[in-house]
Amino acid sequence: MSSGSLVEDVRAELAAIAPRQRCDRLAELSALFHTAGVAHLLGRGAIDLHLDLGSSAAARRAFALLAELRIPSEIRTYATHAFNRATRYQLHVEGSDATLATLAEAGVLDGEHRPLDRPPGRVVARSCCRGAYLRGAFLGGGSLTGPRSPHLEVRTPSLAGASFVRSVCSSEEVRVKVEERPSHARAYAKGWEEIEGYLLAAGVVDAVLGLEERSVVAEMRSEANRLTNADHANLVRTARAAHRQLDAARALQTSGALESLAEPLREAASLRLRHPALSLRELAGLTSPPATKAAMQRRLARLVELAER
């Protein structure tokens, strides 16, 4: 898979996530404006804004998100001056009183309707809101290259915005670095572990599984002379089981049923979501206190059973 198709797969998966809670919608909207937003001060306190996006999937998600928050917008397109004349998308928003109040609630503007370099901490106070913020940040200013020389970055207009992305990542136990450039700032990660951590925190599962699958296939090819057919079959069964476990954990999390389960089951689901490629024994060693491989297998099997009911 090329870098172009990889990033488009990630954007498409992120754009397909439509949070039901208002706090998550506000956090996602906040991130979109803090990465791709432009404010136009019209004088006498009047203000208009627009989002400038390079992806049709991101534009569709932003349009739907604004509509969900009852903010009218208009989509316009234009061609860049680069040699490939790529199409970009602008969502124009008029600064009505109701719109400005919602944008202030989302931490895009302050109480006087002045643009903020970064939102207040209340916007990302909950883990679900932090995931929504990372999702909006990637849709607004994210890029991803790989599988060779993997690199993920989120561009922001200011250093404060990039530092805020880093703080949100840190709260989700994901490490990224920050760098300021003459025209922008960026939060970035170069290792697959950090990149997958960001994507999983933002809600990407299928694309991460694809990355893991390619890694497994590459390893299998390099060890082809050593592996037997039985080894291969066992690896396939393990990968399929991990995929079912991830699907189950994600379904239970989306439905809200996960929160009502016993702590060992919640912990098992969280570990599988954060570590898609780890074996049962490795997952068991991460529990507190450490569990046996058999205990972890029973917990994950129970999650699959509950999700399939």
Side-chain angles (χ1 to χ4, degrees), residues 42-60:
L42 306 179
R44 297 185 179 181
I47 182 173
D48 284 351
L49 305 98
H50 75 257
L51 292 170
D52 194 307
L53 302 165
S55 160
S56 60
R60 289 192 299 270

PDB file of all heavy atoms in Angstrom, residues 42-60:
ATOM      1  N   LEU A  42     -14.236  41.386  10.694  1.00  0.00           N
ATOM      2  CA  LEU A  42     -14.910  42.291   9.767  1.00  0.00           C
ATOM      3  C   LEU A  42     -15.100  43.694  10.334  1.00  0.00           C
ATOM      4  O   LEU A  42     -15.599  44.575   9.646  1.00  0.00           O
ATOM      5  CB  LEU A  42     -16.277  41.706   9.380  1.00  0.00           C
ATOM      6  CG  LEU A  42     -16.243  40.280   8.819  1.00  0.00           C
ATOM      7  CD1 LEU A  42     -17.669  39.807   8.509  1.00  0.00           C
ATOM      8  CD2 LEU A  42     -15.378  40.200   7.579  1.00  0.00           C
ATOM      9  N   GLY A  43     -14.709  43.906  11.580  1.00  0.00           N
ATOM     10  CA  GLY A  43     -14.905  45.207  12.202  1.00  0.00           C
ATOM     11  C   GLY A  43     -16.177  45.271  13.011  1.00  0.00           C
ATOM     12  O   GLY A  43     -17.147  44.540  12.758  1.00  0.00           O
ATOM     13  N   ARG A  44     -16.157  46.136  14.026  1.00  0.00           N
ATOM     14  CA  ARG A  44     -17.318  46.314  14.907  1.00  0.00           C
ATOM     15  C   ARG A  44     -17.744  45.004  15.559  1.00  0.00           C
ATOM     16  O   ARG A  44     -18.932  44.755  15.787  1.00  0.00           O
ATOM     17  CB  ARG A  44     -18.495  46.932  14.155  1.00  0.00           C
ATOM     18  CG  ARG A  44     -18.221  48.336  13.638  1.00  0.00           C
ATOM     19  CD  ARG A  44     -19.466  48.940  13.006  1.00  0.00           C
ATOM     20  NE  ARG A  44     -19.188  50.304  12.538  1.00  0.00           N
ATOM     21  CZ  ARG A  44     -20.102  51.080  11.971  1.00  0.00           C
ATOM     22  NH1 ARG A  44     -21.349  50.625  11.799  1.00  0.00           N
ATOM     23  NH2 ARG A  44     -19.773  52.293  11.575  1.00  0.00           N
ATOM     24  N   GLY A  45     -16.748  44.162  15.833  1.00  0.00           N
ATOM     25  CA  GLY A  45     -17.026  42.910  16.531  1.00  0.00           C
ATOM     26  C   GLY A  45     -17.530  41.785  15.660  1.00  0.00           C
ATOM     27  O   GLY A  45     -17.714  40.663  16.137  1.00  0.00           O
ATOM     28  N   ALA A  46     -17.737  42.042  14.357  1.00  0.00           N
ATOM     29  CA  ALA A  46     -18.235  40.989  13.461  1.00  0.00           C
ATOM     30  C   ALA A  46     -17.072  40.084  13.043  1.00  0.00           C
ATOM     31  O   ALA A  46     -15.936  40.532  12.892  1.00  0.00           O
ATOM     32  CB  ALA A  46     -18.896  41.603  12.236  1.00  0.00           C
ATOM     33  N   ILE A  47     -17.385  38.809  12.852  1.00  0.00           N
ATOM     34  CA  ILE A  47     -16.359  37.844  12.488  1.00  0.00           C
ATOM     35  C   ILE A  47     -16.979  36.723  11.658  1.00  0.00           C
ATOM     36  O   ILE A  47     -18.100  36.277  11.920  1.00  0.00           O
ATOM     37  CB  ILE A  47     -15.675  37.262  13.751  1.00  0.00           C
ATOM     38  CG1 ILE A  47     -14.570  36.277  13.377  1.00  0.00           C
ATOM     39  CG2 ILE A  47     -16.687  36.611  14.686  1.00  0.00           C
ATOM     40  CD1 ILE A  47     -13.755  35.797  14.558  1.00  0.00           C
ATOM     41  N   ASP A  48     -16.283  36.330  10.614  1.00  0.00           N
ATOM     42  CA  ASP A  48     -16.628  35.143   9.835  1.00  0.00           C
ATOM     43  C   ASP A  48     -15.449  34.190   9.898  1.00  0.00           C
ATOM     44  O   ASP A  48     -14.312  34.597  10.144  1.00  0.00           O
ATOM     45  CB  ASP A  48     -16.930  35.500   8.379  1.00  0.00           C
ATOM     46  CG  ASP A  48     -18.305  36.131   8.203  1.00  0.00           C
ATOM     47  OD1 ASP A  48     -19.082  36.128   9.183  1.00  0.00           O
ATOM     48  OD2 ASP A  48     -18.592  36.626   7.101  1.00  0.00           O
ATOM     49  N   LEU A  49     -15.702  32.896   9.671  1.00  0.00           N
ATOM     50  CA  LEU A  49     -14.640  31.899   9.724  1.00  0.00           C
ATOM     51  C   LEU A  49     -14.785  30.916   8.574  1.00  0.00           C
ATOM     52  O   LEU A  49     -15.875  30.770   8.000  1.00  0.00           O
ATOM     53  CB  LEU A  49     -14.677  31.129  11.056  1.00  0.00           C
ATOM     54  CG  LEU A  49     -14.629  31.936  12.345  1.00  0.00           C
ATOM     55  CD1 LEU A  49     -16.041  32.126  12.889  1.00  0.00           C
ATOM     56  CD2 LEU A  49     -13.761  31.244  13.385  1.00  0.00           C
ATOM     57  N   HIS A  50     -13.682  30.239   8.251  1.00  0.00           N
ATOM     58  CA  HIS A  50     -13.792  29.129   7.317  1.00  0.00           C
ATOM     59  C   HIS A  50     -12.749  28.081   7.645  1.00  0.00           C
ATOM     60  O   HIS A  50     -11.728  28.355   8.272  1.00  0.00           O
ATOM     61  CB  HIS A  50     -13.679  29.594   5.857  1.00  0.00           C
ATOM     62  CG  HIS A  50     -12.299  29.948   5.398  1.00  0.00           C
ATOM     63  ND1 HIS A  50     -11.853  31.241   5.262  1.00  0.00           N
ATOM     64  CD2 HIS A  50     -11.246  29.157   5.030  1.00  0.00           C
ATOM     65  CE1 HIS A  50     -10.612  31.245   4.834  1.00  0.00           C
ATOM     66  NE2 HIS A  50     -10.209  29.987   4.690  1.00  0.00           N
ATOM     67  N   LEU A  51     -13.051  26.851   7.232  1.00  0.00           N
ATOM     68  CA  LEU A  51     -12.129  25.730   7.320  1.00  0.00           C
ATOM     69  C   LEU A  51     -11.562  25.474   5.941  1.00  0.00           C
ATOM     70  O   LEU A  51     -12.306  25.453   4.952  1.00  0.00           O
ATOM     71  CB  LEU A  51     -12.849  24.470   7.826  1.00  0.00           C
ATOM     72  CG  LEU A  51     -13.335  24.474   9.265  1.00  0.00           C
ATOM     73  CD1 LEU A  51     -14.244  23.266   9.515  1.00  0.00           C
ATOM     74  CD2 LEU A  51     -12.158  24.459  10.223  1.00  0.00           C
ATOM     75  N   ASP A  52     -10.257  25.276   5.847  1.00  0.00           N
ATOM     76  CA  ASP A  52      -9.602  24.997   4.578  1.00  0.00           C
ATOM     77  C   ASP A  52      -9.024  23.581   4.642  1.00  0.00           C
ATOM     78  O   ASP A  52      -8.077  23.319   5.373  1.00  0.00           O
ATOM     79  CB  ASP A  52      -8.490  26.013   4.334  1.00  0.00           C
ATOM     80  CG  ASP A  52      -8.000  25.980   2.891  1.00  0.00           C
ATOM     81  OD1 ASP A  52      -7.652  24.891   2.407  1.00  0.00           O
ATOM     82  OD2 ASP A  52      -7.975  27.040   2.253  1.00  0.00           O
ATOM     83  N   LEU A  53      -9.609  22.658   3.874  1.00  0.00           N
ATOM     84  CA  LEU A  53      -9.288  21.239   3.980  1.00  0.00           C
ATOM     85  C   LEU A  53      -8.850  20.672   2.635  1.00  0.00           C
ATOM     86  O   LEU A  53      -9.348  21.075   1.587  1.00  0.00           O
ATOM     87  CB  LEU A  53     -10.507  20.458   4.489  1.00  0.00           C
ATOM     88  CG  LEU A  53     -11.052  20.931   5.851  1.00  0.00           C
ATOM     89  CD1 LEU A  53     -12.451  20.377   6.091  1.00  0.00           C
ATOM     90  CD2 LEU A  53     -10.113  20.499   6.964  1.00  0.00           C
ATOM     91  N   GLY A  54      -7.934  19.719   2.689  1.00  0.00           N
ATOM     92  CA  GLY A  54      -7.406  19.123   1.467  1.00  0.00           C
ATOM     93  C   GLY A  54      -8.004  17.786   1.110  1.00  0.00           C
ATOM     94  O   GLY A  54      -7.572  17.149   0.154  1.00  0.00           O
ATOM     95  N   SER A  55      -8.994  17.323   1.867  1.00  0.00           N
ATOM     96  CA  SER A  55      -9.573  16.004   1.646  1.00  0.00           C
ATOM     97  C   SER A  55     -11.090  16.111   1.556  1.00  0.00           C
ATOM     98  O   SER A  55     -11.723  16.775   2.380  1.00  0.00           O
ATOM     99  CB  SER A  55      -9.186  15.068   2.803  1.00  0.00           C
ATOM    100  OG  SER A  55     -10.050  13.963   2.894  1.00  0.00           O
ATOM    101  N   SER A  56     -11.664  15.444   0.559  1.00  0.00           N
ATOM    102  CA  SER A  56     -13.127  15.446   0.429  1.00  0.00           C
ATOM    103  C   SER A  56     -13.778  14.742   1.612  1.00  0.00           C
ATOM    104  O   SER A  56     -14.847  15.152   2.079  1.00  0.00           O
ATOM    105  CB  SER A  56     -13.544  14.780  -0.878  1.00  0.00           C
ATOM    106  OG  SER A  56     -13.084  13.434  -0.936  1.00  0.00           O
ATOM    107  N   ALA A  57     -13.123  13.679   2.123  1.00  0.00           N
ATOM    108  CA  ALA A  57     -13.673  12.974   3.285  1.00  0.00           C
ATOM    109  C   ALA A  57     -13.698  13.889   4.504  1.00  0.00           C
ATOM    110  O   ALA A  57     -14.687  13.925   5.247  1.00  0.00           O
ATOM    111  CB  ALA A  57     -12.845  11.723   3.580  1.00  0.00           C
ATOM    112  N   ALA A  58     -12.628  14.653   4.714  1.00  0.00           N
ATOM    113  CA  ALA A  58     -12.585  15.580   5.837  1.00  0.00           C
ATOM    114  C   ALA A  58     -13.629  16.682   5.665  1.00  0.00           C
ATOM    115  O   ALA A  58     -14.273  17.099   6.636  1.00  0.00           O
ATOM    116  CB  ALA A  58     -11.194  16.188   5.970  1.00  0.00           C
ATOM    117  N   ALA A  59     -13.803  17.154   4.430  1.00  0.00           N
ATOM    118  CA  ALA A  59     -14.784  18.208   4.177  1.00  0.00           C
ATOM    119  C   ALA A  59     -16.207  17.723   4.456  1.00  0.00           C
ATOM    120  O   ALA A  59     -17.019  18.431   5.059  1.00  0.00           O
ATOM    121  CB  ALA A  59     -14.659  18.695   2.742  1.00  0.00           C
ATOM    122  N   ARG A  60     -16.515  16.504   4.038  1.00  0.00           N
ATOM    123  CA  ARG A  60     -17.849  15.955   4.290  1.00  0.00           C
ATOM    124  C   ARG A  60     -18.094  15.793   5.783  1.00  0.00           C
ATOM    125  O   ARG A  60     -19.184  16.084   6.285  1.00  0.00           O
ATOM    126  CB  ARG A  60     -18.012  14.606   3.573  1.00  0.00           C
ATOM    127  CG  ARG A  60     -18.121  14.707   2.068  1.00  0.00           C
ATOM    128  CD  ARG A  60     -18.583  13.384   1.466  1.00  0.00           C
ATOM    129  NE  ARG A  60     -17.652  12.306   1.741  1.00  0.00           N
ATOM    130  CZ  ARG A  60     -16.632  11.986   0.965  1.00  0.00           C
ATOM    131  NH1 ARG A  60     -16.406  12.668  -0.146  1.00  0.00           N
ATOM    132  NH2 ARG A  60     -15.829  10.966   1.272  1.00  0.00           N
TER     133      ARG A  60
END
